[in-house]
Amino acid sequence: MKTEQIRDLAIKRHNIDANHFQDTYRGLNNSRKSKVFLYGRNMVLEELDALLKKIPVGSKILDIGCGTAHLTNWIKEKGFQVYGLEPSKNMYNYAIQNFPDIEIKKGISSELPYPENFFDMIVAFEVLRYLDKSENIATYKEIYRVLKPKGCFFVTQVNLFSTDFYFIFHKLKGAYCNFLNKTHHHCNFTTPSMQEKIVKKVGFSDVTTIGRMSGSIRFFYKFGNRVGDLYRKFFSKITKQRFTKASNKVFAGHLLVVGTK
């Protein structure tokens, strides 16, 4: 598929998933999928919270792919001047309904509707994973353009070697969909070293990659909440599930990329 097709497919998927995310963030969805999703997301929020504490209150922050805007509002409540950007119609409608006091625009990550040197920080949760490499690079270039000097970004990516074995599952499902002539969404599998190389090439002066949550926890939840809960509690006792060494962060369930202009 071409870049535009992959991007349009990602938007269509989020139109379909809008109700699911709205219910999940409002605590109305107790499914296995939502449970493990929120577990990992809370770890990602820990990292974002630590970074936000280093930024002056009142700074301008953009949430790319803000979805239902619950994260956007979470940032706003910490005292920041926050903006949201969302291409999905259904997600956008939820966002402006949920938080009408936040400025939220419709738009895509590779064409940010903001002037140069406008933001102190940019956040993108579960956005770049749905876009191909060229769109990822175009997005990083746009992030660089609208960030102020010394501004930073915080994005999530999908680890190629995550121990949830999602890469294998995604490829098998892709083959199945091709056989039945069905559409299968794109996933941008990457590694910490790949991200560091791309981000530095765009022009960022510094980049850090961090792994959060053991991918194996997501795998064990596939056998049910009881099995997943037992494994999660066991794993939580032996590690904080925060990986910074190259030898272990490559296997994490969440790959975080933080860069400074």
Side-chain angles (χ1 to χ4, degrees):
M1 288 187 289
K2 295 182 179 180
T3 296
E4 293 77 11
Q5 292 174 303
I6 291 172
R7 186 177 61 219
D8 290 344
L9 185 60
I11 295 172
K12 289 179 181 177
R13 168 161 182 165
H14 283 80
N15 274 326
I16 295 172
D17 290 344
N19 290 339
H20 167 79
F21 283 107
Q22 174 76 348
D23 288 345
T24 296
Y25 294 134
R26 294 174 65 198
L28 302 176
N29 187 339
N30 297 314
S31 67
R32 182 178 65 214
K33 180 179 179 181
S34 292
K35 189 170 186 177
V36 70
F37 168 78
L38 291 174
Y39 176 71
R41 186 179 180 87
N42 285 336
M43 290 189 181
V44 177
L45 287 178
E46 286 179 5
E47 296 296 328
L48 177 57
D49 188 46
L51 186 59
L52 288 172
K53 289 177 179 177
K54 300 177 181 178
I55 300 174
V57 171
S59 296
K60 291 182 180 179
I61 300 178
L62 172 64
D63 183 7
I64 296 178
C66 66
T68 58
H70 285 85
L71 171 64
T72 323
N73 187 62
W74 180 82
I75 297 172
K76 176 179 178 291
E77 290 180 339
K78 293 182 178 295
F80 296 100
Q81 186 177 347
V82 67
Y83 301 74
L85 184 75
E86 175 56 49
S88 160
K89 179 181 178 181
N90 292 347
M91 289 285 202
Y92 173 81
N93 288 339
Y94 270 131
I96 60 175
Q97 171 189 315
N98 292 334
F99 308 104
D101 57 331
I102 297 177
E103 181 182 306
I104 300 173
K105 295 183 178 181
K106 291 193 70 177
I108 60 176
S109 62
S110 59
E111 297 176 11
L112 299 179
Y114 303 98
E116 295 180 5
N117 307 317
F118 189 73
F119 293 105
D120 299 284
M121 182 179 182
I122 293 179
V123 176
F125 274 35
E126 301 294 283
V127 175
L128 300 186
R129 61 170 295 170
Y130 293 102
L131 309 175
D132 65 10
K133 184 177 179 180
S134 63
E135 189 77 348
N136 265 253
I137 293 173
T139 297
Y140 279 131
K141 288 180 178 179
E142 275 292 88
I143 290 175
Y144 186 90
R145 180 183 67 81
V146 302
L147 273 178
K148 296 177 182 178
K150 304 300 181 181
C152 64
F153 72 81
F154 180 103
V155 307
T156 65
Q157 294 278 6
V158 178
N159 257 329
L160 174 62
F161 301 110
S162 172
T163 50
D164 60 3
F165 307 113
Y166 184 60
F167 175 77
I168 296 174
F169 171 80
H170 188 269
K171 292 301 180 182
L172 290 175
K173 187 175 181 180
Y176 171 78
C177 289
N178 286 336
F179 179 74
L180 297 179
N181 198 29
K182 292 184 177 181
T183 302
H184 183 48
H185 75 274
H186 177 82
C187 185
N188 182 61
F189 292 100
T190 186
T191 67
S193 59
M194 289 179 187
Q195 287 299 300
E196 291 164 9
K197 182 178 180 180
I198 290 172
V199 171
K200 288 180 179 179
K201 189 173 182 180
V202 167
F204 288 92
S205 61
D206 183 56
V207 58
T208 301
T209 52
I210 303 166
R212 288 304 310 257
M213 194 182 88
S214 168
S216 59
I217 289 178
R218 192 179 287 137
F219 175 78
F220 274 89
Y221 264 104
K222 295 183 183 299
F223 300 98
N225 280 340
R226 185 177 180 182
V227 174
D229 286 344
L230 287 172
Y231 184 78
R232 172 179 57 80
K233 290 177 182 178
F234 162 75
F235 214 88
S236 297
K237 289 181 179 179
I238 62 176
T239 175
K240 293 182 179 180
Q241 300 182 71
R242 186 179 192 274
F243 312 109
T244 56
K245 294 182 179 180
S247 59
N248 52 29
K249 62 184 173 183
V250 70
F251 302 115
H254 289 282
L255 174 59
L256 315 181
V257 187
V258 182
T260 303
K261 183 174 178 179

